[in-house]
Amino acid sequence: MAHLLMVESWVGSMSRLLPRAVREAGHEFTFLTRELHHYLRSAPEGVAHPLLGARHVLTAETNDVDALLPFVERTHGALGFDGVITSCDYYLPTVARIADRLGLPGPTAEAVQSACRKDVTRHVLAGAGVPGPRFAVCTGLAAAQEAARDLGFPLVLKPVDLCAGMFVRRVDDEAELARAHRALTEFPVNARGQRRDPVVLLEELLDGPEVSVETVSYGGAVQVVGVTDKSVGGAPAFIETGHMFPAALAGSDADAAARTARDAVLALGLDEVVAHTEIKLTAAGPRVVEVNPRPAGNRITELVRHVTGVDLAAAAVDVALGRAPDLEHRATGLSSAAIGFLVPDGAGTLAEVAGAEQVRSAEGLLELQLAEPGKAVKAAGSNNEYLGHVMAGDTDGPGARKRVEELLAALCPKVVAAR
């Protein structure tokens, strides 16, 4: 039995899947957070949050890494950790520095920092010849306007240090660029209390469908577990509205995406990492959107598990302990699995989601999760405002997405507008 230090977490599915993976492997973990209430308030009433299954729960200022390292070193001396892990993007660099300080397995801090900073990723991949969009890194609106004139509209404006699609916007002219830039500058501190870097990334708008490649790196080798497709809506935002695994692609396209993702992970120097690399399949070939050095969110890990039997959360635990992960595909009875999200288009209070009982008893349903009545709703601008999701599978082929779309169409969220 091993003992992991888990530093912070997402409050969504990975806050449940990662503790489950630790427990099912026969290990235990200590949870370290700056604010335990951040997680407890996300648990359904009367249900103990899985993070409370920790052997110990410790409180420290996880946003001050220089002060945190000596604290963790002392704690390691008392409790003894065999690995350190997180599911939250904002603490991946912290975990890498802790692993380095304690001599525990994991990727280098430099590689993780490069992957977590979208501007640095662009420079590293460009230097390695891994294809991506034309881009510019800008500080201030004037610099962004000048870069936009050189690159040419339409463009994508991105923060370099946020996730879940927050403040990522398509901009078609200077007026839209100014509005998107202003909105981002008015968000100087992220949801975890960390001050943001004001640098912005401008990228050419890529054509073609977007996919993600799920990989596991161990011992210097990168193994591709599979390719997931993605549907996007909410323009000018880029909101993920659904996914299917495996992606319904020609074999040549899937192979090209896999090669490009592998090249990106290797170029960044990521080892002992489960990674989620997003790629656009353009007319000119695959182009890297971004590399995330952690398991995929939005329950993609569960889609993979339903189809292949491979548990990417368990793989993340294994590599954090310096152990070879089990990536053998097993027959599960499903050929494809898909998820679709209920994305609100207006603000108010959720009264109900009509059609839920019909969907709950539907054939092929794997999972139905809906927001509770009374939830405050706002029009979606990122992947953080969903009202729920439907997950379904297909035993005979790539029909899971169609089944999910049918089930989503049967759901009708009723939102009462604020007066």
Side-chain angles (χ1 to χ4, degrees):
M1 179 176 69
H3 183 198
L4 289 114
L5 175 65
M6 189 179 298
V7 181
E8 303 290 2
S9 170
W10 284 125
V11 297
S13 62
M14 286 307 294
S15 72
R16 293 157 176 78
L17 296 178
L18 202 54
R20 183 196 73 187
V22 172
R23 184 180 66 253
E24 290 182 353
H27 308 315
E28 58 185 0
F29 69 97
T30 286
F31 184 55
L32 174 61
T33 179
R34 67 193 296 266
E35 185 189 0
L36 184 59
H37 184 64
H38 182 79
Y39 304 94
L40 300 185
R41 66 192 177 205
S42 71
E45 187 174 351
V47 177
H49 198 288
L51 291 169
L52 293 182
R55 173 178 164 187
H56 306 283
V57 177
L58 307 177
T59 301
E61 181 46 81
T62 52
N63 286 347
D64 185 346
V65 182
D66 290 334
L68 182 65
L69 290 173
F71 170 81
V72 170
E73 197 167 32
R74 293 191 300 271
T75 306
H76 177 52
L79 300 179
F81 302 120
D82 302 296
V84 56
I85 197 168
T86 187
S87 63
C88 182
D89 298 56
Y90 299 133
Y91 296 96
L92 290 165
T94 300
V95 161
R97 287 189 60 185
I98 291 172
D100 182 66
R101 180 71 165 256
L102 301 184
L104 298 175
T108 67
E110 179 183 6
V112 173
Q113 183 64 31
S114 295
C116 289
R117 282 279 306 217
K118 294 177 175 63
D119 53 337
V120 179
T121 297
R122 282 280 168 252
H123 286 299
V124 171
L125 296 188
V130 180
R134 293 180 300 116
F135 69 95
V137 180
C138 312
T139 301
L141 178 58
Q145 289 170 329
E146 182 178 354
R149 286 190 285 271
D150 290 337
L151 290 171
F153 293 103
L155 294 168
V156 178
L157 178 143
K158 293 181 177 180
V160 299
D161 51 6
L162 290 175
C163 49
M166 293 185 68
F167 295 97
V168 179
R169 296 292 184 269
R170 171 178 172 148
V171 293
D172 290 312
D173 54 39
E174 286 203 3
E176 291 181 2
L177 174 63
R179 283 196 295 272
H181 189 277
R182 182 170 60 252
L184 182 55
T185 59
E186 291 172 354
F187 190 75
V189 178
N190 70 24
R192 297 307 181 94
Q194 299 168 336
R195 183 156 292 277
R196 294 191 46 258
D197 193 315
V199 170
V200 299
L201 187 61
L202 286 183
E203 299 176 354
E204 67 172 315
L205 182 69
L206 297 172
D207 67 318
E210 186 170 333
V211 300
S212 64
V213 182
E214 322 311 332
T215 59
V216 181
S217 306
Y218 180 75
V222 181
Q223 183 165 337
V224 175
V225 176
V227 182
T228 311
D229 73 14
K230 177 187 298 186
S231 54
V232 178
F238 295 83
I239 300 170
E240 296 177 0
T241 59
H243 304 275
M244 186 172 76
F245 183 91
L249 295 174
S252 58
D253 286 338
D255 290 344
R259 285 195 303 271
T260 303
R262 187 184 291 112
D263 290 346
V265 170
L266 290 171
L268 287 164
L270 292 166
D271 197 15
E272 296 181 326
V273 163
V274 177
H276 169 71
T277 302
E278 298 175 346
I279 290 176
K280 277 275 194 178
L281 299 175
T282 76
R287 297 290 184 267
V288 175
V289 175
E290 62 186 44
V291 181
N292 301 282
R294 42 80 179 161
N298 269 353
R299 299 193 75 75
I300 290 173
T301 55
E302 290 298 271
L303 301 182
V304 173
R305 185 178 65 84
H306 278 302
V307 175
T308 69
V310 174
D311 188 338
L312 290 172
V317 170
D318 284 335
V319 296
L321 293 170
R323 302 178 181 185
D326 178 7
L327 302 178
E328 181 181 353
H329 287 214
R330 300 172 178 82
T332 64
L334 289 181
S335 296
S336 63
I339 188 169
F341 300 99
L342 277 177
V343 181
D345 56 9
T349 301
L350 181 65
E352 65 170 327
V353 180
E357 291 310 311
Q358 174 189 344
V359 171
R360 207 176 302 278
S361 59
E363 182 180 357
L365 181 72
L366 297 173
E367 189 173 288
L368 174 65
Q369 182 174 311
L370 299 172
E372 294 292 330
K375 175 183 172 63
V377 178
K378 63 178 181 178
S382 70
N383 299 336
N384 293 325
E385 284 91 31
Y386 300 134
L387 295 180
H389 66 257
V390 174
M391 187 186 296
D394 180 30
T395 59
D396 298 322
R401 176 183 291 281
K402 180 180 179 182
R403 185 61 179 140
V404 161
E405 290 172 349
E406 292 170 348
L407 296 177
L408 274 179
L411 295 173
C412 181
K414 297 184 177 181
V415 177
V416 179
R419 295 182 178 179

